[in-house]
Amino acid sequence: MNIRSKIIGTGSYLPSRTVFNKDLEDLLNTTDEWIQQRTGITKRHWASKDETTSDLALRASERALESSSLKKEDIDLLLVATVTPDHEFPGTACFLQGKMGIPGVPAIDVRQQCGGFIFALSIADQYIRTGTYKNILIVCSELHSRCLDLTPRGRNLSVIFGDGAGAVVLQATEVKDRESESHILSTKIHSDGAQAKELWCPGPGLALFGEERMTKEMINDGLQYPQMNGRAIFSHAVRTMSESLIESLTSNGKELKDLELAFFHQANRRISEAIGKNLELDDSLIHSTVEIYGNTTSATIPIGLDDAIRNGKLKQGMLISNVAFGSGFTWGHSLIRY
Ligand code: COA
């Protein structure tokens, strides 16, 4: 039997508060013009004080389940990708599971940053291909707004990120015709830990070698905030996502002309434009949401998929490539006949 995974539902949730670039000007000593020129971002969403990462995940999950027509009890594996967990431990998947009310189902956190969706999809796909699980819920949820340095010291990073969650429901399917039937053709994931500190959040951390994982001095130094070498990230992101897109096609005997829609991790519009230019892709092939949602880390691709489906841009039977790059470094692809 040729068992493969197919996407049977998607959902997303963006918190109701919209934060425009103008709202950040005084706070971060930045300008709307700088942010738009360097990133393409015009606005992003921020969660309210009484929302958590698992709350955003719950809303996206409910919408994905509704669109799949499955009940929550049908789910037999829950994967949650996040870089902004509710707590240090247990994982956010456990907190989401408690809120969903599906005890007994394995709930696993995937800690692969902006690569989180591709890594989670790859894990889920292996479980489905081996016949271990039939219905898998993948949720990517990020609440950056309470994790960023919202002072001028953090402005290079704090203007980029937004809050939001995206979810997909995968189901096992027997594929007879690989050219027409909906399924995931392949996933491929990569990492390079030698670059871990190019984009990272040092604290709280045992490897800071203080008496505790977090001290007042560490807080004063801002070690609880993410830190980034923006230029290094930019060039690696363009190179690895370009290579991953080509890898997604060639490893399946396809060419660029076969591609019908591409979803890049939405880090920065200039990164997507540079990949498009590298590969000579028509703009209409790249689905972009970074302008209105900012960079929601692991959630950018599932939010983009849900957006494209609900807007009628992504239709059944289309060949789509998803590629991501992020902290770790981590990167990879999935090629899908939607
Ligand atoms: N507003 C105004 N000025 C800012 C600023 C902001 N928000 N952030 C940085 N600057 C200033 C810097 O202080 C610096 O000023 P100086 O020249 O007087 O020292 C200047 O802008 C250039 O800073 P630099 O960090 O070199 O800018 P850049 O051209 O590399 O652009 C990024 C910065 C972050 C937009 C860019 O590096 C980038 O997009 N990198 C990839 C980031 C990303 O995608 N991360 C997520 C990956 S998953």
Side-chain angles (χ1 to χ4, degrees):
M1 282 223 293
N2 206 5
I3 300 294
R4 292 288 180 269
S5 322
K6 84 174 191 187
I7 296 177
I8 60 162
T10 62
S12 59
Y13 173 71
L14 283 307
S16 60
R17 181 177 170 201
T18 304
V19 175
F20 293 89
N21 293 344
K22 281 262 172 227
D23 301 327
L24 300 176
E25 287 187 337
D26 292 343
L27 196 63
L28 300 178
N29 186 21
T30 186
T31 60
D32 175 33
E33 193 192 1
W34 192 97
I35 301 171
Q36 288 211 40
Q37 265 183 8
R38 306 285 178 121
T39 71
I41 297 166
T42 62
K43 55 185 179 175
R44 74 285 292 141
H45 291 254
W46 282 6
S48 65
K49 291 281 180 283
D50 56 1
E51 283 179 309
T52 69
T53 299
S54 59
D55 290 330
L56 310 191
L58 180 64
R59 302 287 285 269
S61 303
E62 287 167 347
R63 290 174 184 177
L65 280 170
E66 194 184 329
S67 82
S68 75
S69 300
L70 291 188
K71 296 192 292 295
K72 61 184 183 180
E73 292 78 15
D74 298 322
I75 295 299
D76 40 29
L77 174 66
L78 175 60
L79 292 170
V80 173
T82 185
V83 70
T84 53
D86 278 7
H87 298 283
E88 287 256 303
F89 73 86
T92 305
C94 292
F95 289 104
L96 173 62
Q97 178 179 31
K99 287 176 182 175
M100 288 180 74
I102 47 170
V105 170
I108 305 174
D109 269 38
V110 176
R111 294 294 306 273
Q112 302 308 128
Q113 302 69 246
C114 298
F117 177 68
I118 300 290
F119 275 67
L121 198 71
S122 183
I123 294 166
D125 190 42
Q126 310 313 311
Y127 273 124
I128 285 180
R129 284 178 185 234
T130 57
T132 310
Y133 297 117
K134 191 168 169 231
N135 298 314
I136 300 180
L137 175 63
I138 298 175
V139 197
C140 301
S141 183
E142 304 290 358
L143 200 163
H144 285 292
S145 56
R146 297 210 293 276
C147 306
L148 296 169
D149 184 354
L150 294 177
T151 70
R153 179 178 64 178
R155 66 181 181 173
N156 68 326
L157 235 137
S158 299
V159 296
I160 296 175
F161 292 101
D163 302 342
V168 303
V169 181
L170 291 187
Q171 187 167 67
T173 180
E174 193 184 338
V175 175
K176 296 195 183 77
D177 179 1
R178 295 192 64 186
E179 289 306 312
S180 66
E181 290 178 47
S182 300
H183 70 291
I184 297 178
L185 281 79
S186 71
T187 62
K188 185 81 195 279
I189 49 180
H190 306 269
S191 306
D192 178 8
Q195 317 270 1
K197 294 186 179 177
E198 297 288 15
L199 175 52
W200 69 313
C201 187
L206 293 172
L208 296 172
F209 304 114
E211 284 173 14
E212 295 181 34
R213 289 178 303 152
M214 204 68 204
T215 61
K216 281 198 181 108
E217 291 71 33
M218 292 174 193
I219 290 174
N220 290 340
D221 290 342
L223 299 186
Q224 72 277 33
Y225 297 124
Q227 298 173 8
M228 173 176 79
N229 176 353
R231 292 196 174 190
I233 296 294
F234 197 103
S235 57
H236 276 88
V238 173
R239 183 173 56 76
T240 57
M241 286 203 276
S242 300
E243 288 170 0
S244 288
L245 191 132
I246 295 300
E247 181 183 46
S248 75
L249 295 166
T250 53
S251 62
N252 289 287
K254 305 280 180 203
E255 298 172 37
L256 273 175
K257 67 173 173 47
D258 300 316
L259 186 68
E260 291 172 278
L261 207 51
F263 295 83
F264 302 145
H265 162 55
Q266 301 285 293
N268 176 329
R269 191 175 65 200
R270 280 167 54 224
I271 292 179
S272 303
E273 284 170 354
I275 301 168
K277 204 168 154 209
N278 263 356
L279 303 178
E280 297 179 13
L281 292 180
D282 194 281
D283 284 352
S284 64
L285 287 177
I286 305 170
H287 188 70
S288 185
T289 55
V290 71
E291 299 80 3
I292 51 171
Y293 300 146
N295 178 344
T296 55
T297 316
S298 64
T300 70
I301 294 179
I303 288 175
L305 289 170
D306 189 49
D307 185 77
I309 291 165
R310 286 174 201 265
N311 290 327
K313 193 167 167 187
L314 174 50
K315 298 192 182 69
Q316 202 142 18
M318 286 172 81
L319 188 70
I320 62 168
S321 180
N322 305 319
V323 295
F325 166 84
S327 155
F329 290 155
T330 55
W331 68 98
H333 82 249
S334 63
L335 190 75
I336 299 176
R337 173 81 59 199
Y338 177 65

